[in-house]
Amino acid sequence: MNDLFKQEPAAPLAEALRPKSLSEVIGQSHLLGEGKPLRLAFEAGKAHSMILWGPPGVGKTTLARLMAHAFDSEFIALSAVFAGVKDIRAAMEQAQQNLDQGGKPTLLFVDEIHRFNKAQQDALLPFVESGLVTFIGATTENPSFEVNSALLSRAQVYVLKSLTDDELRQLLAKARAAALPRLEFDDVAIDTLIGFADGDARRFLNLLEQADTAAASSGVTRIDAAFVENALSLNARRFDKGGDNFYDQISALHKSVRGSNPDAALYWFCRMIDGGADPKYLSRRIIRMAWEDIGLADPRAFQIVNDAAETYERLGSPEGELALGQAVLYLAIAAKSNAGYNAFNSAMAFVKRDKSREVPVHLRNAPTKLMKELGHGHAYRYAHDEPDGYAAGETYFPDGMSEPGWYRPVPRGMESKIADKLAWLRELDRKAGKG
């Protein structure tokens, strides 16, 4: 009798508005538009194994469900976060039963496929190869790194994109018509919600649902930007502290510094801070940038970035982030040189593949009488006693090793003066008869 009065919980707005047909899907026009790959797959009515790679809330699960319906297949969903080999075997038994009893194929959807280890991914292979299941994996991580090559070779990879602002506005219109007819949003409020949704449709609908609940509690029907800021839980932007998004933004920061664009460098730095990146990690990367891309073209850069890192250690967040931000600006506008970076890498590569050459006798240390008798240090020329403080014509490499010329200063910043000095020293060597 109790079941008569049992009420099912109301579905979240994101679930209630989940598309029931391909025509209801918003976004992914590069895959679902006329003549595009997934549209053609739907129209052909023939399923194939695939991996859907993209950020959260862009429709990966929805597309998998729509495919099962379009291809008249049973749908089995696993979450790689919770499932193991035992669950995979149970799913395969169910797939065989679907085929034997109902004659229907099975579409196996594995969410967060990158969370499966090698053994779990390998357990899928025989069933994908035999055609017992059509495999669809969903991942927010680069499948090239996270999915076994054997499984990857049997699945087509489709890249899904974050929803654009216009697409999120389409979603807003759909949500208002279906579930939020009494609410009105001003333009700034809409822009604020779209900004915090960050291209994530599910997140956007959750924010709209929060707005509806807060508005009902407050007795308002018009939502403005102030209401959104005060009443809603606006979390940080999408940012995975270890996934592709993290490393893509680090790459963008580094390349903006290298490209001498201070505003772009500051933008990516602030994006990462806003997203929750560890400022200590960022300070280490910023120091690395100074040595790799500025080098001796502006030796002040090393001091500035080290001082900024030390300032952050003393002040912490958020005050210390200002110092790191200004260090980023300095690096972006500083003269650039990778001459030292290239020289170091060339020297390391040479040493690793070369034999162990002896130190020339005239460069050896001679702290004892025996060593002096053996000639250690003999004929060594003390540079400070030479004209111009330079022993013109002297050699400092092992016998038989030619000058490699690894360090080649660029004609920018301090290195232009370094290049001039090296040219002058080489001329002194030439006059002294050095080849």
Side-chain angles (χ1 to χ4, degrees), residues 247-328:
Y247 292 108
D248 285 346
Q249 291 187 30
I250 276 290
S251 176
L253 170 61
H254 199 153
K255 289 181 171 72
S256 298
V257 166
R258 183 181 296 146
S260 299
N261 191 313
D263 285 345
L266 192 60
Y267 168 78
W268 291 113
F269 173 77
C270 290
R271 273 283 301 275
M272 299 192 76
I273 290 293
D274 177 68
D278 182 2
K280 291 183 179 179
Y281 171 83
L282 290 177
S283 68
R284 293 194 295 271
R285 292 302 297 252
I286 292 166
I287 291 171
R288 160 83 181 199
M289 293 173 202
W291 289 102
E292 182 174 331
D293 286 301
I294 283 76
L296 298 181
D298 189 346
R300 292 169 298 182
F302 314 136
Q303 185 62 53
I304 286 174
V305 294
N306 280 315
D307 285 349
E310 185 176 340
T311 298
Y312 180 81
E313 290 288 343
R314 290 188 179 185
L315 299 183
S317 295
E319 294 87 351
E321 291 158 8
L322 173 62
L324 295 176
Q326 293 197 56
V328 166

Side-chain angles (χ1 to χ4, degrees), residues 59-361:
K60 297 186 289 292
T61 303
T62 293
L63 285 176
R65 290 183 180 277
L66 291 176
M67 287 178 201
H69 177 74
F71 303 143
D72 194 25
S73 302
E74 295 292 343
F75 184 77
I76 297 178
L78 295 177
S79 170
V81 176
F82 304 108
V85 173
K86 180 180 178 182
D87 301 287
I88 295 172
R89 289 183 182 139
M92 296 306 106
E93 290 173 2
Q94 181 62 52
Q96 188 64 58
Q97 187 175 335
N98 294 338
L99 194 60
D100 294 341
Q101 297 181 1
K104 295 186 71 173
T106 296
L107 189 151
L108 175 68
F109 176 66
V110 182
D111 198 16
E112 308 279 0
I113 181 64
H114 59 277
R115 298 292 188 93
F116 268 168
N117 60 32
K118 185 178 185 302
Q120 292 166 324
Q121 292 185 31
D122 285 345
L124 288 172
L125 278 175
F127 307 103
V128 175
E129 290 177 334
S130 69
L132 177 61
V133 296
T134 297
F135 163 70
I136 298 183
T139 178
T140 57
E141 301 297 327
N142 189 332
S144 299
F145 303 132
E146 305 295 341
V147 179
N148 290 356
S149 57
L151 186 58
L152 193 61
S153 68
R154 290 161 177 81
Q156 178 68 43
V157 177
Y158 295 106
V159 181
L160 278 66
K161 300 178 181 179
S162 298
L163 271 65
T164 65
D165 291 359
D166 287 342
E167 289 166 347
L168 289 176
R169 286 188 173 84
Q170 294 176 41
L171 189 58
L172 171 62
K174 183 178 179 181
R176 290 186 64 193
L180 310 172
R182 69 183 191 86
L183 287 185
E184 294 183 12
F185 297 83
D186 70 19
D187 291 340
V188 180
I190 292 174
D191 289 342
T192 302
L193 289 168
I194 287 175
F196 276 94
D198 212 15
D200 183 331
R202 182 170 52 246
R203 188 176 192 179
F204 184 59
L205 292 173
N206 288 341
L207 288 172
L208 292 178
E209 198 165 26
Q210 289 180 42
D212 183 47
T213 301
S217 299
S218 304
V220 301
T221 58
R222 182 171 176 78
I223 306 296
D224 58 19
F227 184 87
V228 170
E229 293 282 357
N230 293 329
L232 273 61
S233 174
L234 299 176
N235 299 320
R237 308 296 199 279
R238 180 175 64 241
F239 192 84
D240 182 358
K241 302 178 188 178
D244 288 328
N245 202 40
F246 176 86
Y247 292 108
D248 285 346
Q249 291 187 30
I250 276 290
S251 176
L253 170 61
H254 199 153
K255 289 181 171 72
S256 298
V257 166
R258 183 181 296 146
S260 299
N261 191 313
D263 285 345
L266 192 60
Y267 168 78
W268 291 113
F269 173 77
C270 290
R271 273 283 301 275
M272 299 192 76
I273 290 293
D274 177 68
D278 182 2
K280 291 183 179 179
Y281 171 83
L282 290 177
S283 68
R284 293 194 295 271
R285 292 302 297 252
I286 292 166
I287 291 171
R288 160 83 181 199
M289 293 173 202
W291 289 102
E292 182 174 331
D293 286 301
I294 283 76
L296 298 181
D298 189 346
R300 292 169 298 182
F302 314 136
Q303 185 62 53
I304 286 174
V305 294
N306 280 315
D307 285 349
E310 185 176 340
T311 298
Y312 180 81
E313 290 288 343
R314 290 188 179 185
L315 299 183
S317 295
E319 294 87 351
E321 291 158 8
L322 173 62
L324 295 176
Q326 293 197 56
V328 166
L329 288 173
Y330 188 90
L331 294 186
I333 62 176
K336 303 297 187 297
S337 173
N338 66 347
Y341 175 73
N342 289 338
F344 173 79
N345 288 338
S346 296
M348 285 296 296
F350 176 84
V351 168
K352 284 181 179 180
R353 67 173 183 267
D354 190 44
K355 62 184 179 182
S356 296
R357 298 173 184 258
E358 296 291 337
V359 176
V361 174

